[in-house]
Amino acid sequence: MGYPEKYPAKYPQLNEMEFTDTARQILIRILRVAFPHEGFPDGPYERQADQIFELANESTWFRIKLTQGIATLNDLAGGSFLGLDDQSATKVLKHVEHTDFFGFIRRTTILNMYEDEAVWEVLGYEGPSFDKGGYVDRGFNDLDWLPDPRVEESQEEFVEIVSDLPVTSGAAPGTDQPTGDAARSSHPGVASTTADQNLTEDN
Amino acid sequence: MAQISQDEASVVIIGSGAGGGTLAYELTRAGIPVVVLEAGPHLRNEDYMNLEWEAFNQMAWLDPRTTSGSWRIATDFPNLPAWLVKAVGGTTTHWSGATPRFKAHEFRTRSVYGRVEGANLLDWPITLEELAPYYDRAEKAMGSTHRHGRPPLPANNNYKVLAGGAEKVGYRHYATGPYATNAEPYDGRPATVQDGFNFQGDKNGSKWSTLVRELPRAGETGLLDLRPESQAVQITHGKDGKVDAVIYLDSEGNLHRQAAKVVCVAGNSIETPRLLLMSASSLFPDGLANSSGQVGRNYMRHTTGSVYARFEKEVRMYRGETMSGLIADESRHDPSRGFVGGYYLQMISLGPAFLASFIEPGAWGKEFTELMDAYSRTAGLWIVGEDMPQETNRVTLNSTVQDRHGLPVPDVHFDDHANDVAMREHAYAQSDRVYEAVGALGTHHTPPYPSTHNLGTSRMSERPEDGVTDRWGRTHDVPNLFVSDGSLFTTGAAANPTLTIVALAIRQAEFLVEQLRTGAL
Ligand SMILES: Cc1cc2nc3c(=O)[nH]c(=O)nc-3n(C[C@H](O)[C@H](O)[C@H](O)COP(=O)(O)OP(=O)(O)OC[C@H]3O[C@@H](n4cnc5c(N)ncnc54)[C@H](O)[C@@H]3O)c2cc1C
């Protein structure tokens, strides 16, 4: 990667550091560049950054990776990652995309940022619905730019095997051999359907 | 609820999902007391949540597993080969409800497809004709729409797009089912409220699961001893080579022993072979019932993939039933397409949380956020087709890592067969055609999710050297040991598996009842 490797310290005190507000600004900027959604307000990105810091605080390994990664981004940016425009910042992230540092940020974000109400609102997702009675009376079928399709099965015959090749008999139980047009049924997979409405005693 | 003594040699069922739950109901109904050991907790419909990750965390099997092989899952989700439930009711609490039957030739693939290089194809020891009456019973039990007088579900938004495209490209065999969720009240359960949270457990109870139907009914007989948070870790046997007990862990990690006269394993296709392999002994050095060497082999997961299409106008695919719609035209066997076997295209919807995680694992930047920004204008489908059984696709015990109980973690090894790849490519292309026919602005090909259909690891075979169990699911090697879940599948067919698992379990129960009645067991 072209930067000096930094290893876990011999004495844990050496790792007792806190992320500064600048680190937070950089992380938020990383998230904005890596997950650019024009419509998203700041909230989801800020909450995501804070969650990443929380996770990093629980794990020395990730804390070191994060500290190191942020420093590296500034190096790669020739001073300040925060000073880069979107395009240049994306290029810098491309450089580190296969590092544990970026992988940790990416995975954590993918797995969390999209279960956020502010995000849902922008994406047009309505979240939990059972408490509101589901969508049965709230537009589960309100798409109106296509015709209403058939919901029943087709009565046209279904050809299960299409083949002009001879069928080898092998060790098949029984002697019936399907040929090109021998295997047909009206519903795929259903040879016959009984129309009894009642649950039999059997079940 | 019955309380059966741990010393009483009983019928013991391991797992309470599609296979185990059905078997428990059928046996207790016939007057046979059973102990059901279920590794997970007893969640109920009111416990479920309308949040994707929280529900997953509540329901899913999260004990560690490892992966190997060239499938993308091993890179993207190395510790999550499969998407399964650890709770009473098993994965039927998570499933969505598509219930197509197998076709006649799908029980006879070795004969009909011929020899396929690298594939371990084998004809089932049973035929569609034999299974048909049990399919009828399973469909009635599960309340499959479009069958036995059950009305179809209405079209939701996602279906309108799928069916509209299907019609335009000349497909004929599309419909909103068969789908095991009530369109109208049935069997004591209400009609769906179309809340869109099938995968999260369905709070309304409209979707069939063994949690809402078979297990409570088995309980009403007074003959069911259901033990949640009881994970079987070993099946033991006597000198005669017959199984005689199941050792299991309770929630505190204490070991118990339940004496058994019959053991039926229904832990789904990763845990079932794991348990058989962990039960190796001097008499069965390669694992219980594994004289064929086929335990854990021929692991199948269906050839899958998803296509998400973006449109100009709103779709709101998340409103309503998650998977109530399919196109069956490609489920035929037609080698002129460049592969054997067939596939279905079934509608699917994910919320933003899951979509972000699965649509293109590893992606970031504009190419990723553009997909997400189109969320409300997106329609989705899922490809499900027959994959080739391969001996080397396999569940083994990982000798290098163990879980918190000190048990070996299962490793799931999978490589796509060339036939699987050809089928998936064909399905992606056809899906594009379907969506483009109704004006898609763009489509995205999503790779397979962690496996929801796990099959084949203790397959049925006519001859003991070809597989693990006989035509009834009884192991070839041990006369009082049965396998009762999707591990039984000799081959996978194009159809979603659960209807067939239930039909096989009903049939197996009948056999068991008869054997127990005549004293043969
Ligand atoms: C999101 C999703 C959608 C799906 N949609 C469909 C669909 O539309 N149609 C379809 O046909 N199928 C669908 N499926 C698949 C379906 O859920 C499974 O095929 C079916 O549940 C498998 O039944 P089973 O009995 O083999 O195992 P499960 O239903 O998984 O039951 C196994 C049970 O055994 C327990 N267990 C495992 N090991 C042990 C042990 N050692 N001791 C005690 N208990 C143990 C587990 O905790 C679990 O409860 C879907 C699955 C998922 C995840």
Side-chain angles (χ1 to χ4, degrees):
Chain A
M1 285 292 122
Y3 59 93
E5 280 290 350
K6 290 163 195 165
Y7 296 99
K10 181 166 169 73
Y11 302 105
Q13 297 94 299
L14 291 172
N15 288 324
E16 280 173 9
M17 45 186 135
E18 280 178 22
F19 292 102
T20 61
D21 196 52
T22 310
R24 186 166 181 268
Q25 293 315 318
I26 294 177
L27 184 53
I28 290 169
R29 175 76 182 136
I30 294 171
L31 296 176
R32 275 249 175 233
V33 173
F35 299 95
H37 292 282
E38 267 175 35
F40 282 19
D42 292 333
Y45 292 107
E46 289 170 0
R47 281 191 285 281
Q48 192 52 56
D50 292 340
Q51 191 207 17
I52 290 172
F53 282 135
E54 261 168 51
L55 291 172
N57 279 329
E58 287 164 19
S59 151
T60 307
W61 175 249
F62 283 134
R63 194 163 64 248
I64 290 171
K65 286 288 165 194
L66 202 58
T67 322
Q68 192 184 322
I70 289 174
T72 307
L73 288 191
N74 280 335
D75 287 353
L76 287 172
S80 165
F81 179 73
L82 283 176
L84 300 181
D85 62 19
D86 289 357
Q87 216 186 345
S88 321
T90 307
K91 271 199 192 131
V92 167
L93 293 184
K94 273 265 170 228
H95 261 93
V96 297
E97 96 177 303
H98 299 295
T99 59
D100 288 348
F101 159 67
F102 188 74
F104 169 55
I105 294 174
R106 186 189 58 73
R107 255 187 92 77
T108 311
T109 306
I110 291 267
L111 293 176
N112 293 284
M113 193 169 71
Y114 297 88
E115 201 150 55
D116 180 304
E117 280 180 32
V119 163
W120 292 345
E121 207 179 299
V122 179
L123 297 183
Y125 175 67
E126 295 160 276
S129 74
F130 182 75
D131 291 345
K132 299 174 190 149
Y135 293 105
V136 68
D137 300 317
R138 297 190 311 128
F140 79 101
N141 60 355
D142 64 357
L143 185 151
D144 58 7
W145 49 271
L146 285 169
D148 280 337
R150 164 167 62 73
V151 298
E152 295 280 359
E153 290 174 313
S154 163
Q155 293 310 308
E156 274 179 50
E157 129 187 289
F158 188 88
V159 181
E160 295 186 346
I161 298 183
V162 183
S163 174
D164 47 6
L165 300 170
V167 178
T168 52
S169 80
T175 52
D176 62 311
Q177 292 298 332
T179 58
D181 52 10
R184 290 168 189 269
S185 68
S186 57
H187 297 316
V190 181
S192 66
T193 310
T194 48
D196 57 322
Q197 295 269 353
N198 307 318
L199 261 193
T200 62
E201 270 305 294
D202 271 0
N203 278 288
Chain B
M1 191 80 71
Q3 271 216 338
I4 296 172
S5 156
Q6 294 194 338
D7 299 325
E8 188 179 322
S10 322
V11 174
V12 181
I13 299 174
I14 298 166
S16 63
T22 299
L23 193 59
Y25 171 54
E26 296 290 335
L27 292 180
T28 52
R29 214 164 61 93
I32 298 166
V34 301
V35 174
V36 173
L37 301 176
E38 168 52 57
H42 200 157
L43 301 172
R44 299 197 165 65
N45 297 66
E46 57 271 25
D47 300 324
Y48 295 139
M49 289 179 288
N50 279 191
L51 291 166
E52 293 183 297
W53 280 120
E54 284 183 45
F56 184 82
N57 190 39
Q58 178 189 46
M59 301 165 72
W61 185 283
L62 297 174
D63 297 17
R65 287 171 172 155
T66 59
T67 46
S68 56
S70 56
W71 56 334
R72 219 176 124 172
I73 294 289
T75 313
D76 297 332
F77 305 100
N79 298 324
L80 193 68
W83 181 352
L84 296 169
V85 172
K86 183 179 188 178
V88 170
T91 316
T92 64
T93 60
H94 223 88
W95 87 316
S96 63
T99 56
R101 291 185 181 194
F102 280 29
K103 305 185 205 312
H105 70 269
E106 289 174 323
F107 291 92
R108 308 178 50 244
T109 55
R110 177 63 185 85
S111 302
V112 177
Y113 301 169
R115 221 184 83 75
V116 176
E117 186 73 34
N120 197 16
L121 286 172
L122 185 72
D123 289 347
W124 287 60
I126 58 172
T127 61
L128 174 64
E129 220 179 357
E130 276 176 272
L131 202 58
Y134 302 96
Y135 269 143
D136 284 335
R137 287 172 59 181
E139 284 160 352
K140 290 175 196 168
M142 299 164 82
S144 294
T145 62
H146 302 80
R147 300 285 179 269
H148 313 288
R150 312 274 21 100
L153 281 154
N156 70 3
N157 294 338
N158 206 11
Y159 178 76
K160 287 186 187 179
V161 182
L162 184 79
E167 179 67 31
K168 284 216 163 145
V169 303
Y171 283 148
R172 289 295 168 262
H173 297 279
Y174 58 84
T176 55
Y179 191 76
T181 287
N182 292 345
E184 61 180 26
Y186 173 69
D187 205 18
R189 289 180 288 112
T192 174
V193 294
Q194 303 274 359
D195 71 357
F197 286 94
N198 307 54
F199 286 174
Q200 287 68 35
D202 180 32
K203 292 176 82 70
N204 204 46
S206 304
K207 171 182 87 171
W208 173 85
S209 68
T210 56
L211 176 78
V212 299
R213 186 175 188 275
E214 279 68 18
L215 293 166
R217 289 188 194 183
E220 283 162 20
T221 65
L223 297 172
L224 172 71
D225 186 343
L226 171 65
R227 299 184 199 158
E229 298 183 68
S230 300
Q231 183 168 347
V233 294
Q234 193 172 25
I235 303 168
T236 60
H237 60 80
K239 284 203 187 72
D240 58 359
K242 288 190 180 174
V243 294
D244 59 7
V246 180
I247 313 292
Y248 66 95
L249 281 165
D250 66 21
S251 57
E252 264 112 58
N254 304 311
L255 285 174
H256 299 261
R257 177 182 187 275
Q258 174 62 52
K261 64 176 167 192
V262 175
V263 174
C264 303
V265 192
N268 207 316
S269 304
I270 297 175
E271 293 309 312
T272 289
R274 180 189 185 207
L275 183 59
L276 296 178
L277 294 172
M278 287 197 303
S279 302
S281 66
S282 51
L283 199 57
F284 299 101
D286 299 325
L288 202 51
N290 195 20
S291 66
S292 64
Q294 296 290 315
V295 169
R297 291 188 187 272
N298 311 304
Y299 169 72
M300 295 172 286
R301 60 182 311 250
H302 272 139
T303 293
T304 69
S306 269
V307 176
Y308 290 96
R310 300 178 297 287
F311 294 87
E312 203 183 308
K313 301 205 180 108
E314 299 283 283
V315 176
R316 298 194 180 277
M317 65 173 169
Y318 60 86
R319 287 185 179 176
E321 287 297 328
T322 311
M323 290 186 68
S324 59
L326 59 76
I327 302 172
D329 295 70
E330 300 285 357
S331 67
R332 69 191 189 275
H333 169 59
D334 177 1
S336 71
R337 291 174 300 182
F339 53 88
V340 300
Y343 64 85
Y344 290 88
L345 300 175
Q346 302 180 340
M347 72 183 225
I348 196 171
S349 160
L350 299 179
F354 270 16
L355 196 69
S357 307
F358 295 114
I359 192 164
E360 189 56 56
W364 59 280
K366 264 219 148 39
E367 57 186 87
F368 169 77
T369 52
E370 270 169 7
L371 300 176
M372 295 305 297
D373 283 336
Y375 182 76
S376 65
R377 296 177 285 113
T378 297
L381 66 75
W382 191 56
I383 300 157
V384 51
E386 179 163 24
D387 60 339
M388 291 294 105
Q390 300 181 72
E391 276 208 332
T392 47
N393 284 346
R394 165 171 202 208
V395 175
T396 53
L397 301 181
N398 189 324
S399 59
T400 61
V401 279
Q402 52 189 33
D403 67 14
R404 66 195 166 91
H405 303 295
L407 303 169
V409 161
D411 181 74
V412 184
H413 180 99
F414 192 87
D415 300 304
D416 276 322
H417 187 278
N419 196 76
D420 307 343
V421 176
M423 179 186 287
R424 183 178 298 119
E425 289 309 317
H426 189 271
Y428 279 146
Q430 291 305 107
S431 306
D432 287 350
R433 289 187 57 214
V434 166
Y435 283 137
E436 279 157 11
V438 279
L441 304 173
T443 61
H444 186 80
H445 297 171
T446 291
Y449 311 117
S451 316
T452 56
H453 299 172
N454 297 270
L455 308 166
T457 50
S458 300
R459 71 179 185 179
M460 281 189 177
S461 65
E462 193 66 53
R463 305 184 317 156
E465 53 271 40
D466 292 332
V468 181
T469 63
D470 70 7
R471 52 192 287 101
W472 304 106
R474 183 211 294 255
T475 61
H476 288 299
D477 299 347
V478 183
N480 62 341
L481 175 63
F482 290 74
V483 175
S484 317
D485 61 18
S487 323
L488 289 172
F489 284 25
T490 311
T491 50
N496 317 57
T498 309
L499 177 75
T500 303
I501 294 173
V502 171
L504 288 171
I506 296 174
R507 177 171 168 276
Q508 183 180 71
E510 239 177 50
F511 177 75
L512 274 166
V513 169
E514 185 60 17
Q515 294 282 303
L516 288 162
R517 192 185 60 79
T518 60
L521 268 175

